[in-house]
Amino acid sequence: MHMKNSSEMQRGDWLRILILWTLVMILRYGVFCLLLFAGAQNCLSQENLVNRSAFKAGEVLRYKVKWSFIRLGSLEVRQELCDSADRACYRIILTAESAQGLPFIDIYFVNQGKVSTETLESLEFTSDIGREKRNRSVHQTDTAAKLLALTEFVDNNLIRSDTLHLNQLVYDDPSLFMLFRCLAGSGETREVSSVMESRIETTTFRFPVDREEIEVAALDKPVSAFRFEGKANWTRNDYAGLKGEFCGWVSADSAAVPLRIEARIFLGSIVLELESYERPGWPVHDTLFSHVKK
């Protein structure tokens, strides 16, 4: 039997850590959400802060995931209109995979949900991880009863079923992505609530109103953007020196397209950067480029 030497194993371990940190921590546990406390003042009731123009059927956003000069993988976010007779909603689909050619790594997952355009909540959510042996997680929320049902399957075999009692509203990945966009540039500081395994954890977000100039691979000139800052109020010991701090930029227009996200680890920063897009009519020069300093 051929044994891998220690340097090969170490390299593979670090690459796994970087990929997992980027695709799980950033995407799944809080970059795209704002906490809406049940019984407290709800930011969705402050209509001047909510930008529902971020919803757009046919929109596709593609991001490259990189560490220094190394491309680790990619993320695609797609919007589709739902076939729903009772509520207006969009299906938001997030697909992430590791880059081809990375040694010892093959990561692939698809998270999708029906998102209400009225409340921005996930009406349904499903997460599929793996290409062949597939792990599936399903979240179903009963808002009236304040319950969240969690089920997990491996190759269609039920392996776990649980119920969480909710004292606050929580959002899965697709609805978090839209909440994040709809509240960008609001000037608010909010607590973010998301499901992590069988627990609900929070992250603090700050959304300044000031505009900044930023360059991304998808656009041929600098654009005006709102910066956001986040810090996780929880820790994990298995994510390579996670500090729980990250920041990012969202286009300062009605489309509110996330342009760049940076997360710090002790080896540097992991970056998600917009690489290409499909959104009819975007960008609009007068709204996105006019605020950039000459």
Side-chain angles (χ1 to χ4, degrees), residues 24-36:
V24 179
M25 183 67 68
I26 298 177
L27 303 182
R28 181 148 194 168
Y29 300 139
V31 170
F32 308 123
C33 58
L34 299 177
L35 175 64
L36 307 176

Side-chain angles (χ1 to χ4, degrees), residues 26-210:
I26 298 177
L27 303 182
R28 181 148 194 168
Y29 300 139
V31 170
F32 308 123
C33 58
L34 299 177
L35 175 64
L36 307 176
F37 284 103
Q41 186 175 16
N42 190 319
C43 68
L44 294 180
S45 67
Q46 304 176 36
E47 293 296 329
N48 61 315
L49 298 181
V50 180
N51 171 28
R52 292 187 177 86
S53 297
F55 287 98
K56 186 75 169 182
E59 179 193 75
V60 182
L61 305 177
R62 301 181 183 92
Y63 298 86
K64 58 182 175 181
V65 182
K66 58 183 182 179
W67 170 59
S68 185
F69 61 89
I70 301 174
R71 186 183 183 108
L72 301 177
S74 61
L75 167 71
E76 179 185 275
V77 185
R78 180 182 299 270
Q79 294 193 47
E80 301 174 354
L81 275 173
C82 287
D83 182 14
S84 177
D86 55 342
R87 303 184 68 173
C89 67
Y90 280 70
R91 182 180 298 278
I92 312 298
I93 305 168
L94 293 83
T95 303
E97 61 182 331
S98 53
Q100 294 184 358
L102 288 179
F104 316 117
I105 296 175
D106 182 16
I107 293 178
Y108 177 83
F109 69 76
V110 179
N111 292 347
Q112 60 179 302
K114 292 182 179 180
V115 179
S116 167
T117 58
E118 179 183 359
T119 64
L120 306 183
E121 66 181 322
S122 282
L123 306 177
E124 297 177 8
F125 171 75
T126 302
S127 175
D128 289 307
I129 302 175
R131 300 179 189 273
E132 297 181 2
K133 183 177 181 180
R134 179 163 296 183
N135 295 349
R136 166 167 287 193
S137 298
V138 180
H139 295 178
Q140 294 179 318
T141 303
D142 185 337
T143 304
K146 296 184 178 181
L147 296 175
L148 177 68
L150 309 174
T151 52
E152 294 183 13
F153 303 84
V154 174
D155 291 339
N156 296 320
N157 296 315
L158 179 65
I159 62 169
R160 180 169 171 252
S161 180
D162 198 0
T163 301
L164 300 181
H165 294 272
L166 303 178
N167 295 318
Q168 70 276 354
L169 297 179
V170 296
Y171 291 79
D172 292 305
D173 301 4
S175 57
L176 304 183
F177 186 77
M178 299 312 298
L179 274 171
F180 172 75
R181 298 174 64 174
C182 291
L183 271 287
S186 65
E188 293 289 305
T189 297
R190 296 280 177 171
E191 290 294 303
V192 178
S193 182
S194 56
V195 178
M196 185 176 73
E197 297 176 345
S198 60
R199 306 186 308 277
I200 297 175
E201 303 287 359
T202 64
T203 303
T204 301
F205 275 90
R206 201 168 66 85
F207 291 85
V209 298
D210 297 334

Side-chain angles (χ1 to χ4, degrees), residues 16-17 82 105 260:
R16 286 189 182 89
I17 289 170
C82 287
I105 296 175
R260 183 181 176 94

Side-chain angles (χ1 to χ4, degrees), residues 255-270:
V257 174
L259 302 170
R260 183 181 176 94
I261 298 169
E262 297 180 2
R264 291 188 296 172
I265 61 174
F266 76 88
L267 290 176
S269 295
I270 301 296

